[in-house]
Amino acid sequence: MQILDGKALAKKIEENVTNEVAKLKAETDLTPGLAVILVGQDPASQAYVNMKKKACDRVGFYSVTHEMPQDISQDAIENTITMMNQNPNIDGILVQLPLPPQIDTTKILELVDPAKDVDGFHPYNVGRLVTNLDGFVPCTPLGVMELLSEYNIDVKGKNCCVVGASNIVGKPMAALLLNADATVEVCHIFTDDLKKHTLNADIILVGVGVINLIKEDMVKDGAIIVDIGINRADNGKLVGDVDFANVSPKCSYITPVPGGVGPMTIAMLLSNTLKAAKLNAQKKR
Ligand code: NAD
């Protein structure tokens, strides 16, 4: 069994982004800029935004966080996004989800300029992903593809079972795998007999948010396991959706939690923002 080390690859990608940022600054005098919109006091959202900000600082991006109270109005968020859309110093806009119930999240995500949509959540970019055209791809599934590629794991023709079908994880994961010529099954809360599907898979990619959902009897020998889940166990430790201790001996490769997909998500946010900055730099010339 070999560990798919997301932490190590993320570090490599960060170094590469740092060099590219220095080059961009030297050639164009432009610094990539990321604006983050954070609503409310949710500790997990605050922690994620903090990690993203620190990563931006490390690679030399300009970043700004717009912190807003939980009872913020739709108009106030929309006004901020419109301002960020027009701000030439901002290349990427990220709206930390979830937003409070009074907010129409779809309307907010649709307002982000698709050229600054570094999270890849705008329906324009979703459409480009599904039709296998270049655009911005959601960071978590993009990070998974990078991680598989780093270990020379070619998904072409492989049976891939994606467990979890959200717009930010499961669906874009399935689209990327399909674009890479995998045979893809997508399972979710209403899937009957999950084990029947996972047992058939060469690669299982699970992003659900249920501790120990994937157990050893659900995995065939030699399978590759990508654990996208992030959960807080009773003892306070971060764990994924896979029973790592019992499943890992059966696998050929597996991602740890933490240190697998999580760091790759941040690395892909950096590389998406750099991509946006380069495209915007071309427009400014
Ligand atoms: P979500 O709640 O939006 O979606 C969960 C999905 O899992 C749904 O499609 C649901 O049908 C499915 N599901 C729920 N229970 C199930 C079950 N028992 N069996 C099969 N399917 C089931 O969640 P999300 O935002 O997609 O996040 C999923 C997990 O991924 C969470 O643990 C989250 O913390 C994690 N996550 C990790 C990263 C990262 O960087 N590693 C990024 C985003 C989300």
Side-chain angles (χ1 to χ4, degrees), residues 29-83:
D29 208 23
L30 294 169
T31 300
L34 177 71
V36 178
I37 291 164
L38 173 62
V39 180
Q41 306 283 321
D42 175 51
S45 291
Q46 284 178 328
Y48 290 138
V49 167
N50 204 14
M51 280 194 287
K52 289 167 187 173
K53 190 184 170 346
K54 281 187 180 157
C56 285
D57 292 345
R58 286 197 299 271
V59 298
F61 287 176
Y62 161 71
S63 78
V64 57
T65 305
H66 293 272
E67 289 189 44
M68 300 179 172
Q70 182 76 12
D71 62 356
I72 191 86
S73 69
Q74 179 85 20
D75 279 353
I77 306 183
E78 288 187 7
N79 289 341
T80 305
I81 292 179
T82 303
M83 255 164 45

Side-chain angles (χ1 to χ4, degrees), residues 125-138 141-142 145 154-158 160 162 170-184:
N125 282 313
V126 176
R128 292 191 71 88
L129 168 61
V130 171
T131 44
N132 203 5
L133 296 170
D134 188 35
F136 289 104
V137 175
L142 184 61
M145 296 307 283
D154 186 358
V155 303
K156 188 173 186 171
K158 296 278 189 321
C160 294
V162 178
K171 284 184 201 163
M173 188 74 259
L176 282 168
L177 291 164
L178 200 52
N179 289 346
D181 298 326
T183 302
V184 186

Side-chain angles (χ1 to χ4, degrees), residues 93-108:
I93 301 170
L94 182 159
V95 182
Q96 185 65 40
L97 300 179
L99 293 171
Q102 78 275 15
I103 301 297
D104 182 340
T105 301
T106 306
K107 240 180 125 194
I108 295 293

Side-chain angles (χ1 to χ4, degrees), residues 81 91 100 119 144 163 184 201 231 249 285:
I81 292 179
D91 300 293
D119 252 344
V144 170
V163 188
V184 186
N231 310 291
R285 271 184 193 160

Side-chain angles (χ1 to χ4, degrees), residues 4 28-29 115 236 247:
L4 296 168
T28 65
D29 208 23
V247 169

